[in-house]
Amino acid sequence: MILEQHPDYPFFLARRDEGEATLAIHAALHGRRALGYWRSEQEPDFPDPSAFIDEDWDPSQRAEVAAYLARGARVMTFAGYSTCRMCGFARKGDSCLNDERYVWPEGLVHYLEEHGLRPPGEFVRHVLSITRSGRG
């Protein structure tokens, strides 16, 4: 579920000299791992979100991680909304958010709250170390 880079990073890397906005997006994506980007017709090798459903995950921990995801810094906004790969909900987000280590689509919160998705332990530990230390 965690990708080594944002799916569009190569695009911004190739165009980083094309203006301040592109340079800022490149800088925001550089070195950050990506999660929450799902299989589609355009990306058939990406993970299937249904493989990460964990209905037994502690609800308070799920809420803590979802709240952290919702507070991410906005990296870029797209011209349209993403559609949920599981239920078809069409207005779950139009932006990418990040922190100092990861980048994710704004709609990742929908998968946690509505479908019981649990991100990989690596990411959950990262979030909890930040939120429980008072930094996030």
Side-chain angles (χ1 to χ4, degrees), residues 6-81:
H6 185 278
D8 293 332
Y9 180 71
F11 171 84
F12 290 104
L13 177 62
R15 290 161 181 78
R16 66 184 179 275
D17 297 327
E18 292 184 10
E20 288 183 34
T22 304
L23 182 60
I25 292 170
H26 169 264
L29 297 179
H30 180 74
R32 286 177 176 82
R33 299 178 75 202
L35 73 153
Y37 297 92
W38 308 121
R39 180 179 303 161
S40 67
E41 288 182 17
Q42 296 80 21
E43 301 291 354
D45 295 328
F46 281 16
D48 180 345
S50 65
F52 300 95
I53 303 304
D54 182 355
E55 295 180 12
D56 296 326
W57 188 22
D58 175 36
S60 64
Q61 196 177 78
R62 181 185 312 279
E64 190 173 349
V65 173
Y68 180 85
L69 287 169
R71 291 190 307 268
R74 192 168 308 278
V75 176
M76 61 184 147
T77 301
F78 296 94
Y81 289 95

Side-chain angles (χ1 to χ4, degrees), residues 7 14 16 19 40 42 44 53 65-66 72 74-75 86 92 103 110-112 115 117 127:
R16 66 184 179 275
S40 67
Q42 296 80 21
I53 303 304
V65 173
R74 192 168 308 278
V75 176
M86 296 180 70
K92 64 176 194 59
V103 61
H110 167 84
Y111 289 92
L112 274 70
H115 301 296
L117 182 133
V127 169

